Amino acid sequence: MARRRRGKPKGRGHPLRTGSLLAALRLWTRRFAILAMVLVAGSLIAIDRIESPVTRDIRSGVTDLFAPFIETVSAPFHAAAEWFDAFESNATVRERNAELVQEIERLRLALQEMPALQKENRRLRALVNAGRRIEGQHLTATVVSDTGGPYVRSLLVRAGSADGIRRGMAVINANGFIGRIVEIGRHASRVLLVTDLNSRLPVRLEASGLRALLTGTNGRRMQLTYVPPNVSVAVGALIVTSGHGGVLPPGIPVGRVDSVGRDTILVRPLVNWNRLTFVRIIDYRTPGLVGDAPDDHRQQEVGRRAETP
Amino acid sequence: MSEPIQRAIDRAVRRSFPMATAAVASLAGVIAVPAPDYNQIAPAFTLIAVYCWSVWRPGLLPLPGVFLVGLFEDLLRGLPLGLTALMLLAAAGFVQSQRGFVFGRSFTLFWLVFGLLTIVWMAVEWLAMSLLLWQLLNPDAAVFRYLLTFGLLPVGAAMLLFVQRSGMQNV
């Protein structure tokens, strides 16, 4: 200490004092920075809860930017899974082959009946003056990643606004309904799965036509709510989209009733979440609904023409 | 380019390794691994990176940087924006202030403290999400996620140690 005193330059503050002042200043700056970050985080959580377009745009931008990277890095994992899948036993391959032959036969028969059924359908619709049936435009997209962790059920798909994707569009695959587009980037979008806790889907029981709301639980099964009391629902009953509200196409299979309890009816989704590689995104809008721009009708017409064989 | 500038750039790049590895760890958490339900129990790689660097090189892992990495993870995973940022900030702040307890001690202690930190992390995440969604969420996936994160610390630490020894000796 004495040596330090001797070396003290004249005309300046005490080095120890200046040092401790600087240290205190640094400490307070650090504390202030931490407090500011905590406040910013709290504000962001609150803003995000009200689904601000600003946070949505930032989210979409980041997703868009990193989707190609995630896709590239995920590719070897997908390749490895396909490689393992190729090691099926001879018996399994024979079994699957027999199943596929049966399915082809069934589909051939259905295809033969189709022109007659279409004709009959047109005639009946004309009789009841039902108007033209609205078909949706389809787009196939690859699944980049399933993000979210234990509390959010979502997917990243490689299609965005540049491909004509809009919020709310239905996402399906060969088995049934997967979810809805909730965030859109230019070349990537986020899909909120039907099993997510925030998912609410208007559905109906295919057999009885009974309408209800399908709510996600974040688990493997979904819950059927708003079912009128004293209505019997059978285990195994098929649940399809009701098309209520005109946002989603009606009749897309979603799941089957898995268990019927006293207060809860649980539905198992038809989609195998662990084998999602490609999805189809449907552009479907009922003309005449509020917010339907003329351009959208034109786009729908283009889609319809594109689908016509 | 003169040698001092080159040296300064090289030093700056090496000093950014902790932040860069934490950001890469965030990306690693969203990679699609085609295993059943993997995405629900994917380990918290970012926590591993932040913990290791907070103990080994706290000076190279500034809290604002940790906060940004957390925001980046929230944006990538579709989580409530700011949640992971806040949690990572708290975790890094706590570990950096208490690092004397772990630094230079046995790896078992290092791992054990990480285990305790991860328990708190998972519990806070579950509680926060339950509050935000206003529903008591099923913690099963979080338990498996905890086990995976805890079990993978030695692997993550070995990888980060390799980065530290091969590229950050003199920074």
Side-chain angles (χ1 to χ4, degrees):
Chain A
M1 186 70 88
R3 205 179 295 158
R4 277 188 186 170
R5 258 183 208 153
R6 272 200 301 274
K8 188 183 99 172
K10 280 177 186 174
R12 288 191 188 173
H14 195 291
L16 269 182
R17 219 163 148 192
T18 316
S20 59
L21 263 174
L22 272 173
L25 194 69
R26 223 175 279 143
L27 184 72
W28 277 103
T29 313
R30 187 181 152 92
R31 280 180 185 168
F32 178 75
I34 291 171
L35 184 70
M37 284 186 282
V38 170
L39 287 175
V40 168
S43 312
L44 282 173
I45 292 172
I47 293 168
D48 202 38
R49 281 302 291 163
I50 55 166
E51 296 193 2
S52 153
V54 178
T55 57
R56 205 191 297 147
D57 288 349
I58 296 171
R59 225 182 254 283
S60 305
V62 169
T63 305
D64 218 21
L65 199 65
F66 287 95
F69 173 81
I70 298 168
E71 193 179 22
T72 311
V73 178
S74 302
F77 292 100
H78 282 300
E82 277 169 22
W83 191 71
F84 277 111
D85 282 350
F87 283 96
E88 284 182 300
S89 70
N90 200 19
T92 318
V93 172
R94 275 168 198 264
E95 205 176 295
R96 283 192 65 189
N97 191 40
E99 278 172 18
L100 289 170
V101 166
Q102 274 183 1
E103 196 170 344
I104 288 170
E105 202 55 41
R106 194 176 56 76
L107 290 171
R108 260 193 201 136
L109 284 170
L111 207 63
Q112 280 171 8
E113 287 174 12
M114 206 181 237
L117 287 172
Q118 275 180 336
K119 204 172 168 185
E120 189 185 2
N121 188 31
R122 269 198 299 271
R123 192 171 53 80
L124 290 171
R125 288 181 78 85
L127 267 176
V128 296
N129 200 20
R132 277 192 311 165
R133 198 170 156 223
I134 306 302
E135 298 290 344
Q137 183 182 356
H138 290 185
L139 178 100
T140 303
T142 49
V143 174
V144 176
S145 171
D146 36 6
T147 56
Y151 308 114
V152 180
R153 300 283 182 268
S154 65
L155 283 180
L156 277 187
V157 293
R158 201 77 163 92
S161 58
D163 308 290
I165 303 299
R166 286 193 307 268
R167 275 191 94 200
M169 281 184 175
V171 181
I172 63 166
N173 77 349
N175 295 327
F177 190 81
I178 291 170
R180 273 184 278 198
I181 300 282
V182 286
E183 278 169 27
I184 316 150
R186 187 135 178 84
H187 299 289
S189 308
R190 193 183 297 278
V191 181
L192 186 76
L193 300 185
V194 71
T195 49
D196 187 273
L197 206 61
N198 288 313
S199 168
R200 304 279 184 275
L201 184 70
V203 292
R204 66 178 165 81
L205 272 85
E206 202 213 20
S208 63
L210 178 81
R211 279 185 175 170
L213 196 71
L214 196 64
T215 311
T217 60
N218 267 10
R220 287 172 185 274
R221 297 185 293 178
M222 302 157 289
Q223 196 177 342
L224 202 63
T225 53
Y226 293 104
V227 179
N230 306 322
V231 169
S232 70
V233 177
V235 172
L238 183 66
I239 308 287
V240 297
T241 53
S242 70
H244 206 67
V247 181
L248 297 173
I252 301 174
V254 184
R256 283 190 185 278
V257 173
D258 195 48
S259 70
V260 180
R262 205 172 155 182
D263 301 315
T264 52
I265 299 171
L266 294 173
V267 175
R268 190 170 286 280
L270 295 172
V271 176
N272 179 2
W273 305 112
N274 300 318
R275 283 273 174 262
L276 279 180
T277 315
F278 294 99
V279 293
R280 292 190 93 184
I281 304 169
I282 308 174
D283 182 1
Y284 175 89
R285 277 199 194 182
T286 312
L289 284 183
V290 177
D292 242 1
D295 279 356
D296 295 333
H297 292 291
R298 259 205 309 280
Q299 200 176 8
Q300 217 164 36
E301 285 298 327
V302 170
R304 225 174 289 153
R305 275 204 297 278
E307 282 199 345
T308 314
Chain B
M1 202 182 287
S2 67
E3 203 178 311
I5 296 175
Q6 273 183 17
R7 217 176 297 141
I9 292 172
D10 180 64
R11 193 176 145 80
V13 169
R14 285 167 192 272
R15 285 178 72 85
S16 71
F17 279 174
M19 288 304 307
T21 48
V24 169
S26 287
L27 278 168
V30 291
I31 285 172
V33 177
D37 296 332
Y38 170 80
N39 72 310
Q40 292 168 37
I41 57 166
F45 292 118
T46 322
L47 182 64
I48 294 178
V50 165
Y51 174 72
C52 290
W53 291 125
S54 292
V55 173
W56 300 335
R57 306 296 294 267
L60 301 185
L61 196 73
L63 293 181
V66 173
F67 182 76
L68 287 178
V69 169
L71 281 183
F72 176 59
E73 184 156 332
D74 286 332
L75 290 167
L76 269 185
R77 291 176 58 196
L79 294 171
L81 193 58
L83 181 65
T84 311
L86 196 59
M87 286 170 55
L88 271 184
L89 185 70
F94 175 74
V95 175
Q96 287 182 14
S97 65
Q98 304 295 320
R99 68 183 281 265
F101 182 69
V102 196
F103 188 69
R105 306 278 181 90
S106 71
F107 184 76
T108 315
L109 184 74
F110 179 77
W111 198 0
L112 200 72
V113 171
F114 178 73
L116 294 172
L117 179 77
T118 315
I119 287 179
V120 177
W121 172 278
M122 297 295 165
V124 170
E125 192 181 41
W126 171 79
L127 192 69
M129 287 305 290
S130 293
L131 281 170
L132 285 168
L133 296 168
W134 202 242
Q135 195 166 333
L136 212 58
L137 296 170
N138 188 346
D140 289 359
V143 173
F144 283 103
R145 191 165 179 241
Y146 165 73
L147 292 173
L148 256 182
T149 308
F150 179 63
L152 278 174
L153 178 84
V155 181
M159 286 164 82
L160 296 173
L161 204 61
F162 174 76
V163 172
Q164 148 105 333
R165 285 187 178 159
S166 57
M168 295 168 60
Q169 283 288 19
N170 303 314
V171 291

